[in-house]
Amino acid sequence: MRSRSRWTWWFVALALMLNAWTPARAQVPADFQLVPPEEDTIIVTAPYGAAFGNPEPERQLQPADVAAYGASTVRELVDALALETRGTSAGGGPTVVLLNGRRLGSFSEIGDLPPEAILRVDILSEEVARRYGYRVGSKVLNIVLRPNYATRVVDVTYREATAGGRESPEGSFTIARSGSGTRWNLNVTAVHNEDLLESERRVSGGLGSFRSLLPELDRLTIAGTVARSRPEGISHAATARAEVRRTTDLTGPSDASASAQPLRRVREDVSVRIGASAHGDSAGWQWTAAADGQLNAGQTRGALAGAAAYLAESERIDFNLEGLASRTIARLPAGEAGISLRVAFSELTSRSRSTLAPLPEVELSRSQAAASIGLDLPLSSRDQGGRGVGDLTLGVTVGATFDDFEEAHFRFEGSANWAPVRPLTVALGYIHEEEAPSLEDLGNPAVALDNVPVFDFVRGETAIVRLRTGGNPFLRASRRDTFRAGATLRPVQGLNLSATYSRIREQNLAGSFPAITREVEQAFPDRFVRDSAGRLVAVDQSLINFSRAGRDQFRWGLNWHIPIRRRPGLRGETSSAREAAAAADPGGRLNLALFHTVRIRDDLLVRDGLPLLDFLDGSVAGLGGGRSRHLIEAQASVGVGGVGASLNGSIEGESRARTTSGEMLTFSSVARFDLRLFADLGQLMPRERWTAGTRVTLQLGNLFDSRARVRTTAGAVPEGLQPAYLDPLGRTIGFSIRRVF
């Protein structure tokens, strides 16, 4: 019977926190007003916290809009906006996040802040990223914080799978304060996930309680930030983050006897990061300087059946310096031309040791220096009257990264944005990137795992193998070219219609091989071991370079944001300031997003001279089979009067995979949706003192318990492609209580 003692103390400690303070509303002003300027003060027309150049937001979220998403942290809010901010290019990368119009030294500076600290959120176009030294690929979120707030938040969550197992309690405590030019916050988060065993799912031919489908996880994170703004216009911030993580896998029985014990693989990781940044304005330049250092240390202990225990250790130390400066260089008839300069230096050291590797220790180091310059040139503007052709802007970025001050990797980026009329914008873009493999990809220690079920597409059967993973010191630098063309139409306020075509070509891309196919085995025969009967018994899945890959896709859809007006006087009279605040609800918000992606091309050439793998026409892309040609993504959220709901999900179409013998496997479509319901008890019951600042949330993950179903031509389910292997967790249900003091 599993012990709960490891996480019971979290709930006890958090319960004590709930009683440590008397209930009180977070000290956040309902409205923000600037202090009236003195007579000799220069008045800046840009709004408080605006991005450089004061670009017009595509959408602006006020506090009521933020509350409609029901997010508990800034990190959750950014995730909730991901479908809208993904941008136009395929694989555009993570959303760029600014703070009060400035580049962040690290997202951890604000990631754990409660959304009650937000004054507004500006969603800006992708081109704004260039002004801050980022790659143009996703939209920019400018998060503007209230200048004065004080809040303490306790959040307790419990979730588990509806089919049983995987109990997952989580607790966090946050303190955040801002005032008199000083801002600081501290967050402590503890997470525990029970392992999920094969005996807890319907697994045919498995090892029952001797093998885990999902590992046990324990994680403790402590993060804090201190920031200060000086009267002369310079601000600086310091951040620190430490995390301890432990995962435990069960990999099978130690032997074939009745007294066999499960073999365990235990991995422990410690990560510590310290950073500092400064921002200011000088001689027309807006500048940012940042420095950070990070230590990551990991250790893996395990045992293989019939062999001695093994030990693998890794250490990585990073040190980074970065500087960015932006300014307006010319005032042209069509607008202001801007320039951004970025320089960076990093020193990385990696050490790894493994008793499974031929070398006792691998040590790698790399010094990188990078520089880039970006230009924004407005060529035409509607403000020019009849002389213009609408708003037309060109953008160019040129940069280079030097490894150990010798090998150079270049980057070029060009874009054009044209708005012939105000509701319509047409965008073109091209990016060329060259990138060296990371030190982790080169030097991660070798780790092995016994009794891993894999599907052997060469023989069309399930094999139980010894799986080996790790880095590859012989990886080569990769190259990627991306072209995009898109258009956005805003026919009415709050409705955005967009369509984008993306074309990506990659060479020497690094990764694990997609599946065990004849083409992959021919290209890397030393990675596979078969017995005398031809059955697969061992696989080395360390990273490899592929020759080239190509992806073309067309993505179109809409974002629609609809305000919900409420009739005044529904709550009746109020008798206290708290009730008045609860009654002053400006209304609700309804947010809808729907996108359809059509994959036109998706292929991979493992090595020159071998057949091309077409993932849209039967080639195997992984355990999920081939790739579906169609993907539908949807999001809907609504919040009214302290009650809200959100539904996020996707529908992946059917795909097929062909084995070497010619048999076709069919992978069913998957419709995965997550439902979240929340209620602010303080707004629903304003007269009750104990409800102040309390929110309850019900979460249903994978609402319809949808999983891919694999069938052979004869209708059989391959043993290694059972639903429990493809998606062990299934539907989950969770409940959380959040209290703001």
Side-chain angles (χ1 to χ4, degrees):
M1 181 176 181
R2 301 181 194 175
S3 172
R4 302 292 191 268
S5 60
R6 286 170 297 181
W7 52 265
T8 301
W9 63 271
W10 297 342
F11 292 101
V12 175
L14 290 171
L16 292 174
M17 293 177 188
L18 288 170
N19 293 320
W21 297 278
T22 55
R25 282 279 181 186
Q27 301 174 26
V28 181
D31 299 304
F32 168 68
Q33 295 181 344
L34 292 174
V35 178
E38 300 178 359
E39 294 182 0
D40 58 347
T41 300
I42 298 176
I43 300 177
V44 181
T45 57
Y48 167 72
F52 177 70
N54 190 25
E56 181 179 357
E58 294 185 356
R59 182 188 173 208
Q60 191 171 85
L61 280 69
Q62 300 300 328
D65 302 304
V66 173
Y69 287 96
S72 298
T73 63
V74 170
R75 181 175 284 104
E76 288 187 7
L77 177 64
V78 173
D79 291 341
L81 294 170
L83 190 58
E84 180 176 356
T85 60
R86 184 177 302 170
T88 56
S89 68
T95 302
V96 174
V97 179
L98 308 177
L99 175 63
N100 296 338
R102 305 281 189 171
R103 177 170 173 145
L104 283 166
S106 169
F107 181 68
S108 62
E109 182 178 336
I110 62 170
D112 298 316
L113 279 176
E116 287 83 0
I118 296 176
L119 177 66
R120 73 172 191 273
V121 178
D122 298 331
I123 300 180
L124 307 172
S125 69
E126 302 170 28
E127 301 303 315
V128 175
R130 179 181 294 109
R131 306 177 189 179
Y132 291 89
Y134 291 107
R135 176 184 185 271
V136 175
S138 294
K139 297 187 186 298
V140 177
L141 282 183
N142 180 29
I143 297 177
V144 181
L145 300 181
R146 300 176 185 268
N148 300 287
Y149 58 84
T151 182
R152 294 165 294 186
V153 182
V154 173
D155 198 335
V156 180
T157 302
Y158 177 84
R159 65 172 59 88
E160 66 177 37
T162 57
R166 197 61 171 179
E167 297 88 354
S168 302
E170 177 179 343
S172 69
F173 176 64
T174 302
I175 303 177
R177 293 179 181 274
S178 178
S180 302
T182 300
R183 170 176 57 85
W184 67 272
N185 60 274
L186 175 67
N187 173 267
V188 179
T189 301
V191 177
H192 174 75
N193 293 333
E194 287 283 357
D195 56 7
L196 183 64
L197 306 179
E198 288 188 353
S199 58
E200 297 176 284
R201 291 294 182 267
R202 295 179 180 177
V203 176
S204 174
L207 297 177
S209 59
F210 287 100
R211 186 164 61 194
S212 55
L213 295 168
L214 294 174
E216 180 183 19
L217 167 68
D218 289 289
R219 176 170 59 86
L220 176 65
T221 305
I222 302 175
T225 298
V226 178
R228 182 165 180 79
S229 300
R230 297 188 176 277
E232 57 268 28
I234 296 177
S235 61
H236 47 81
T239 62
R241 184 181 183 88
E243 181 174 291
V244 180
R245 177 191 293 259
R246 176 188 173 99
T247 59
T248 303
D249 278 295
L250 303 185
T251 63
S254 57
D255 52 58
S257 68
S259 59
Q261 298 296 316
L263 296 172
R264 298 177 184 272
R265 183 180 68 168
V266 179
R267 178 171 179 85
E268 296 175 339
D269 294 279
V270 176
S271 174
V272 178
R273 181 187 180 279
I274 299 176
S277 61
H279 315 270
D281 297 280
S282 178
W285 290 89
Q286 184 183 95
W287 56 268
T288 297
D292 71 77
Q294 184 165 341
L295 167 66
N296 295 295
Q299 182 185 85
T300 301
R301 303 185 305 274
L304 302 175
Y310 66 85
L311 175 67
E313 297 176 308
S314 63
E315 298 172 2
R316 174 178 167 136
I317 300 175
D318 297 2
F319 178 70
N320 303 283
L321 291 172
E322 186 176 34
L324 174 73
S326 304
R327 68 163 298 164
T328 299
I329 57 173
R331 301 187 185 278
L332 305 177
E336 297 180 347
I339 186 173
S340 63
L341 305 174
R342 176 182 175 270
V343 294
F345 173 79
S346 63
E347 184 74 29
L348 304 93
T349 302
S350 173
R351 299 183 184 91
S352 63
R353 299 169 291 278
S354 175
T355 57
L356 296 173
L359 298 177
E361 180 172 308
V362 176
E363 181 173 346
L364 301 172
S365 63
R366 177 188 293 167
S367 298
Q368 280 188 330
S372 66
I373 179 172
L375 294 172
D376 284 303
L377 301 174
L379 302 183
S380 176
S381 172
R382 285 190 295 268
D383 296 336
Q384 293 179 279
R387 294 174 296 172
V389 292
D391 292 338
L392 177 61
T393 303
L394 297 182
V396 176
T397 300
V398 179
T401 300
F402 300 89
D403 289 343
D404 297 319
F405 302 98
E406 295 178 357
E407 186 179 3
H409 305 284
F410 296 98
R411 175 172 167 260
F412 171 80
E413 189 175 296
S415 63
N417 284 267
W418 179 42
V421 293
R422 187 171 297 276
L424 176 64
T425 302
V426 179
L428 298 174
Y430 171 76
I431 301 175
H432 170 81
E433 300 171 287
E434 299 172 1
E435 186 175 7
S438 68
L439 287 190
E440 289 94 336
D441 291 345
L442 293 170
N444 270 348
V447 175
L449 193 63
D450 263 343
N451 301 307
V452 178
V454 299
F455 192 79
D456 182 1
F457 284 89
V458 176
R459 291 172 55 95
E461 65 183 19
T462 298
I464 305 299
V465 304
R466 175 174 293 177
L467 185 68
R468 180 186 173 118
T469 60
N472 181 354
F474 303 106
L475 291 177
R476 303 184 300 276
S478 62
R479 191 179 78 180
R480 173 175 169 140
D481 294 277
T482 303
F483 170 77
R484 59 184 173 87
T488 301
L489 178 65
R490 302 175 179 86
V492 296
Q493 184 176 0
L495 175 61
N496 290 357
L497 306 175
S498 63
T500 305
Y501 167 76
S502 298
R503 178 184 185 273
I504 296 178
R505 297 294 182 266
E506 295 180 274
Q507 293 184 352
N508 288 333
L509 64 157
S512 300
F513 45 78
I516 303 170
T517 64
R518 174 177 293 175
E519 294 84 358
V520 172
E521 192 167 355
Q522 287 177 346
F524 304 97
D526 57 326
R527 297 297 189 96
F528 303 89
V529 178
R530 295 183 181 273
D531 61 16
S532 57
R535 290 186 294 268
L536 195 65
V537 295
V539 178
D540 183 353
Q541 209 172 23
S542 303
L543 299 178
I544 53 179
N545 278 115
F546 298 103
S547 179
R548 65 177 184 268
R551 285 182 289 159
D552 296 352
Q553 71 174 39
F554 179 74
R555 182 174 184 261
W556 64 285
L558 62 87
N559 288 290
W560 200 358
H561 310 286
I562 308 169
I564 302 174
R565 304 299 179 187
R566 302 184 64 198
R567 292 178 298 171
L570 290 179
R571 294 181 179 267
E573 297 182 0
T574 59
S575 59
S576 68
R578 179 181 297 151
E579 294 172 17
D585 182 6
R589 304 293 187 275
L590 174 62
N591 305 300
L592 300 173
L594 181 64
F595 286 89
H596 176 207
T597 299
V598 181
R599 297 185 177 106
I600 303 170
R601 173 179 175 177
D602 193 345
D603 54 43
L604 174 70
L605 183 63
V606 177
R607 183 168 287 180
D608 291 338
L610 294 178
L612 186 71
L613 300 180
D614 187 348
F615 299 133
L616 299 177
D617 189 31
S619 294
V620 185
L623 276 182
R627 293 221 171 93
S628 166
R629 192 171 292 274
H630 297 276
L631 171 66
I632 296 175
E633 299 168 286
Q635 181 186 65
S637 64
V638 61
V640 180
V643 178
S646 65
L647 182 67
N648 304 285
S650 63
I651 302 175
E652 187 90 21
E654 182 181 273
S655 65
R656 297 177 182 273
R658 187 182 299 106
T659 67
T660 302
S661 62
E663 183 177 24
M664 188 68 73
L665 301 179
T666 302
F667 291 73
S668 68
S669 60
V670 177
R672 182 186 176 95
F673 288 88
D674 301 327
L675 176 64
R676 183 177 185 181
L677 308 173
F678 64 90
D680 186 337
L681 302 184
Q683 292 193 46
L684 296 177
M685 296 179 286
R687 299 179 184 273
E688 300 294 335
R689 183 177 177 83
W690 65 271
T691 64
T694 301
R695 186 176 70 201
V696 294
T697 304
L698 176 66
Q699 305 171 18
L700 287 170
N702 195 358
L703 180 62
F704 304 113
D705 198 19
S706 180
R707 312 183 200 193
R709 310 288 175 175
V710 186
R711 294 287 187 272
T712 65
T713 306
V717 179
E719 187 175 295
L721 298 175
Q722 298 175 69
Y725 288 140
L726 301 180
D727 181 7
L729 198 56
R731 183 195 297 115
T732 62
I733 184 169
F735 181 77
S736 68
I737 301 178
R738 182 176 185 267
R739 185 72 179 268
V740 180
F741 298 92

